[in-house]
Amino acid sequence: MSAPAAHHSPPGSSTPLAPEWRVYAHLYFPFITTVLLTLFIAQPYEHRLLLLASALPTYFLASLVHHPRPRPPERFTRRSDLHRAAVLFAYGRLLGTPFGLLNYLLDLLASYGVGAVLDRPEGAPPRRSEFLVHVLATAASTVVFGMIPPSWETAWTIMGSVDRVMYRSAWMALVDDVVKVLAYSDLSTKKVKVGVVGLQALIIFVTVLWLHFLFVVRRREIVEREFTSPTDI
């Protein structure tokens, strides 16, 4: 008895789909580059041009692995509850905030409510940018929240919660757009290739500097604790 195929083709097609690890090559290779740069460059602020230029070999190496696949109609965070949960979990960790299970579960449930309002109807053509739509909605919620005085406790609390959820929804929309560009772009034109390299350069640049900032802050906190905590004599 033969084993089932690992990847299925669309109806009417005899060509097997590329495995996902090849489809997402342009997405995860920048993070491999980020790890290497973080390990071997002690002061990335002094090598900003190198950080940006590293996107060129990153793109070249990813191109050796990348294999295209037709873009699915659903957003990345809408294809699976696991995708949605993982991307939302990453939001707080990137900001360095402590994890709270109750708040996380409430944010996760609320993201479905935001999706019911802002997501495209099933079968409708996808937007060019989900992030732009969510940024505009988030900006509107922030403006409304800023207009409500804290003395209106109930309205202020409700609108603050809405604003919190909108920021997390915008983050998920950003991830959706990044996945769409890096995994499913048609790389047959120079314009698209330049756009992919530019996005990879931005990811590498921001991520390396952010990791360096977090490491510096963490080291500073450790040093301050050592100097301020009582020592055994």
Side-chain angles (χ1 to χ4, degrees):
M1 182 176 179
S2 60
H7 306 283
H8 302 282
S9 304
S13 173
S14 59
T15 304
L17 292 176
E20 289 193 347
W21 68 271
R22 299 192 67 177
V23 174
Y24 293 124
H26 285 294
L27 179 64
Y28 63 76
F29 262 74
F31 294 101
I32 296 175
T33 302
T34 294
V35 172
L36 295 175
L37 291 173
T38 302
L39 291 175
F40 293 104
I41 298 182
Q43 298 296 333
Y45 291 100
E46 299 176 1
H47 303 279
R48 284 167 287 187
L49 185 59
L50 174 62
L51 299 183
L52 294 172
S54 66
L56 293 174
T58 298
Y59 175 84
F60 174 75
L61 293 174
S63 297
L64 299 178
V65 177
H66 176 71
H67 196 287
R69 182 194 284 190
R71 188 176 76 195
E74 304 91 357
R75 295 164 50 185
F76 176 76
T77 57
R78 300 303 188 258
R79 285 179 229 159
S80 160
D81 292 332
L82 181 60
H83 289 173
R84 183 194 297 259
V87 172
L88 182 59
F89 177 81
Y91 179 85
R93 311 297 72 74
L94 289 174
L95 297 179
T97 56
F99 177 71
L101 180 60
L102 179 59
N103 287 334
Y104 170 73
L105 292 177
L106 291 175
D107 290 337
L108 184 60
L109 290 174
S111 71
Y112 288 93
V114 174
V117 175
L118 293 182
D119 283 1
R120 299 281 285 171
E122 186 175 354
R127 298 185 178 107
R128 289 180 60 88
S129 173
E130 290 290 342
F131 180 59
L132 178 59
V133 173
H134 282 74
V135 162
L136 294 176
T138 302
S141 72
T142 300
V143 170
V144 173
F145 179 46
M147 296 173 63
I148 299 176
S151 57
W152 298 4
E153 294 183 4
T154 302
W156 190 83
T157 301
I158 292 174
M159 200 60 219
S161 299
V162 171
D163 198 48
R164 169 191 171 91
V165 171
M166 292 306 302
Y167 273 92
R168 283 152 179 77
S169 295
W171 157 251
M172 288 194 286
L174 174 62
V175 172
D176 288 329
D177 279 1
V178 169
V179 171
K180 179 179 67 175
V181 171
L182 295 185
Y184 299 106
S185 290
D186 180 5
L187 299 175
S188 60
T189 65
K190 290 183 178 180
K191 181 179 179 180
V192 175
K193 290 179 180 178
V194 170
V196 169
V197 173
L199 182 54
Q200 289 178 327
L202 182 62
I203 290 174
I204 294 169
F205 184 81
V206 172
T207 307
V208 170
L209 295 184
W210 182 246
L211 287 175
H212 179 73
F213 171 76
L214 289 181
F215 290 155
V216 169
V217 170
R218 174 58 63 183
R219 286 198 299 265
R220 185 175 300 166
E221 290 177 350
I222 293 174
V223 170
E224 288 177 352
R225 278 202 303 267
E226 290 178 350
F227 276 99
T228 57
S229 60
T231 57
D232 296 331
I233 300 178

